[in-house]
Amino acid sequence: QVQLVESGGGLVQPGGSLRLSCEASRSIFRMNYMGWYRQVPGKERELVAPITTGGSTNSADSVKGRFTISRDNVKNTVYLPMNSLKPEDPAVYYCTARFFTANYWGQGTQVTVSS
């Protein structure tokens, strides 16, 4: 079992920044995969940025150059710094991890962008 706890969401003005954190209940070094997804009401959950065990990262075209996933193996935490936030970025952001063959999800953290 893996528990994931997200934090760092909130209200920010357009162009502002937030940093999301996802703390895992066990060593993330053992995770096959971790990542951030986001979801808005009425739409499917979409992948924002993944990071593999080897440290390879990627990001969706819509956030490329603005969001960059990273991790701290000592703190068992994955981060998503979000810069230059846009009106289309608001969503509930979820952290996910794959441990062996099981996928785990956090409870989500709300990000709101408004002036």
Side-chain angles (χ1 to χ4, degrees):
Q1 284 282 348
V2 179
Q3 282 76 49
L4 302 171
V5 179
E6 300 103 331
S7 61
L11 172 64
V12 65
Q13 292 185 343
S17 300
L18 287 173
R19 188 180 75 160
L20 304 184
S21 300
C22 171
E23 184 174 0
S25 60
R26 60 191 311 158
S27 173
I28 64 172
F29 184 75
R30 296 172 61 85
M31 305 298 170
N32 305 108
Y33 163 97
M34 295 190 74
W36 287 96
Y37 281 70
R38 66 185 182 186
Q39 188 172 27
V40 298
K43 291 190 175 182
E44 292 189 358
R45 198 169 291 189
E46 66 167 344
L47 177 63
V48 176
I51 185 166
T52 67
T53 302
S56 297
T57 64
N58 205 343
S59 57
D61 288 342
S62 59
V63 305
K64 205 172 291 287
R66 301 187 297 123
F67 299 5
T68 305
I69 190 171
S70 65
R71 71 184 191 195
D72 185 329
N73 291 339
V74 174
K75 295 183 178 180
N76 293 327
T77 300
V78 172
Y79 301 100
L80 186 69
M82 305 187 295
N83 300 311
S84 302
L85 282 159
K86 299 179 178 180
E88 56 263 37
D89 291 323
V92 178
Y93 283 71
Y94 295 92
C95 177
T96 187
R98 182 178 304 140
F99 185 58
F100 289 99
T101 58
N103 292 317
Y104 298 91
W105 294 88
Q107 81 288 350
T109 185
Q110 177 71 51
V111 171
T112 303
V113 181
S114 176
S115 55

